[in-house]
Amino acid sequence: MHIHRLLFLLPPISAHALGGIRIIQSNDDGWAELYVRSFHDALVASGHDVVLSAPAENKSGSSSLDVEPHPRATSCQYSSCPPASGPIGCNATSPRLNWVNSFPVTAMRYGIETIGPQFWNGAAPDLAVSGPNVGSNLFLQVPFSGTVGTAVYAVGQKGIPAIAFSGASHGTLSWNTTPVPERSLVYAELAARLTDAVVASGKPYLPPNVWLNVNFPEASDECNSAANFKWVLSRINPGIFSPADVQQCGGTRLPTETDVANGDGCYVSVSVGDARDKSTAPAAEQAVVLKKLGSLLSCLP
């Protein structure tokens, strides 16, 4: 795959040229990881105007680190860029696919401030998405996750609503893996489905300082089609000493995302996160998300 340095004279494209919204996309597993590429394709298929800006290589566990990119000496992840390629670059034939030689948050920052606006006539993104991460991001993993860090940066520093997606099925995959494993396609379809539901709910897509932490269970013989999955409103931390949650499924304490992940069945946890501390958002914000996504949500058995 031939890569060249980022172009700064690309012709502007209408904000809603693809019939959707402007979406900036990132991850922490690297720009050439298959999960993020499958999701990119699914968002484009949904009609969104999406631009990927992700690390040049796997930077998992880098939390909210943000350091200016520096020129690469070696090739990018999966040999997806040649040595001595500079600090940032893009796919020569698909310039909406971009890499930044730094941490995930840095890649998101460049995507919001520099890369995305080239395609959007100077406009900012309407929504930020990250992932799907290779592996779950639950409870104690959340503060350290670069996938989460990018979403929290978009919300907390730029005021852009954001969603972080993670999938329990492990195993890194190159962008050009063929045939594409079912888990990558299923996660992409699920992530696009929730994104579309958030967009369809109307602006503002999420309350201020709120992001969604979404975790898919392992893809399996049972959970092998997007239609088989059910969505559960959850919380990030246990909340033993926290105020009551929004009333849902007959109670005022939402299940933790870990409870959802450890349960039997194809259940997806959707936690309403507070960008100020990466913990669970208060009940008032949960209620807004519940109203927006209510028709999509289910209860644990």
Side-chain angles (χ1 to χ4, degrees), residues 23-29 35-36 39 43 127-138 145-151 162-168 186-198 211-216 231 268-270 293 296:
I23 297 179
I24 192 69
Q25 181 191 14
S26 194
N27 73 347
D28 73 0
D29 294 308
Y35 277 7
V36 79
F39 184 26
L43 290 172
L127 181 71
V129 296
S130 191
N133 187 70
V134 180
S136 300
N137 278 308
L138 306 165
S145 165
T147 299
V148 169
T150 62
I163 311 173
F165 295 99
S166 302
V186 168
Y187 287 163
E189 184 177 349
L190 287 168
R193 182 172 296 184
L194 185 68
T195 301
D196 288 343
V198 169
W211 57 285
L212 301 183
N213 193 45
V214 181
N215 278 274
F216 306 129
W231 309 81
V268 182
S269 64
V270 182
L293 300 179
L296 187 71

Side-chain angles (χ1 to χ4, degrees), residues 23-206:
I23 297 179
I24 192 69
Q25 181 191 14
S26 194
N27 73 347
D28 73 0
D29 294 308
W31 85 302
E33 184 62 44
L34 185 58
Y35 277 7
V36 79
R37 295 297 184 89
S38 294
F39 184 26
H40 183 89
D41 291 342
L43 290 172
V44 171
S46 289
H48 298 298
D49 196 349
V50 56
V51 174
L52 172 68
S53 179
E57 57 188 290
N58 190 331
K59 290 290 185 180
S60 295
S62 50
S63 187
S64 295
L65 289 173
D66 185 0
V67 177
E68 284 300 309
H70 60 275
R72 289 196 64 82
T74 60
S75 60
C76 293
Q77 177 187 38
Y78 304 126
S79 299
S80 55
C81 80
S85 293
I88 56 179
C90 66
N91 184 297
T93 56
S94 300
R96 289 171 178 269
L97 304 176
N98 296 265
W99 57 266
V100 176
N101 191 38
S102 187
F103 296 105
V105 166
T106 311
M108 177 62 83
R109 175 165 60 85
Y110 266 73
I112 293 171
E113 295 179 350
T114 304
I115 298 172
Q118 294 179 91
F119 297 91
W120 302 324
N121 198 25
D126 298 305
L127 181 71
V129 296
S130 191
N133 187 70
V134 180
S136 300
N137 278 308
L138 306 165
F139 186 24
L140 295 177
Q141 298 166 315
V142 167
F144 306 100
S145 165
T147 299
V148 169
T150 62
V152 169
Y153 171 82
V155 176
Q157 300 300 316
K158 298 297 184 179
I160 298 168
I163 311 173
F165 295 99
S166 302
S169 291
H170 284 269
T172 56
L173 298 163
S174 170
W175 65 276
N176 57 355
T177 301
T178 54
V180 177
E182 194 66 38
R183 58 189 167 107
S184 188
L185 296 174
V186 168
Y187 287 163
E189 184 177 349
L190 287 168
R193 182 172 296 184
L194 185 68
T195 301
D196 288 343
V198 169
V199 172
S201 73
K203 289 186 174 182
Y205 297 126
L206 293 172

Side-chain angles (χ1 to χ4, degrees), residues 217-218 222-223 228-229 260-261 263-268:
E218 286 192 17
E222 178 188 3
C223 306
N228 295 342
F229 290 78
V260 178
D264 294 328
C266 309
Y267 289 98
V268 182

